[in-house]
Amino acid sequence: MTEQEKLEQILEIIDTLKLYIQQDGGEFAFVSYENNVVTIQLKGACVGCASVDMTYENGLQELLKDEVDPNIKVNLIY
């Protein structure tokens, strides 16, 4: 899979997850994808949420590992 294909798949996954996060008042934005690191900026109810690590670092990161690349990581910006 090329880097462009990875990016496109990452953006598709993020767009799908946004719908679920927004239902709880949360929001996040894709910032970048470089060197197998996806950077996400947290907004809305996600900022300060006790479940943020589980939702993004575990949930999103694991989904991206399964669907895109097993070595991918998620970096959160608060």
Side-chain angles (χ1 to χ4, degrees):
M1 180 181 301
T2 68
E3 290 301 302
Q4 182 61 37
E5 290 170 330
K6 286 182 183 181
L7 176 60
E8 289 170 8
Q9 195 165 9
I10 289 166
L11 293 174
E12 276 184 39
I13 291 169
I14 287 173
D15 284 345
T16 300
L17 288 177
K18 274 186 170 185
L19 300 173
Y20 296 103
I21 300 298
Q22 289 170 341
Q23 290 176 0
D24 291 330
E27 183 64 60
F28 65 100
F30 171 82
V31 175
S32 66
Y33 171 63
E34 292 181 53
N35 302 318
N36 248 10
V37 177
V38 177
T39 301
I40 302 291
Q41 181 175 16
L42 301 178
K43 300 177 179 183
C46 289
V47 177
C49 175
S51 300
V52 74
D53 289 337
M54 184 181 72
T55 301
Y56 291 100
E57 292 178 348
N58 296 334
L60 176 58
Q61 184 166 278
E62 290 305 313
L63 183 58
L64 292 174
K65 283 182 175 189
D66 289 344
E67 299 290 326
V68 181
D69 186 316
N71 298 312
I72 206 160
K73 301 224 184 287
V74 174
N75 179 42
L76 302 177
I77 300 173
Y78 295 89

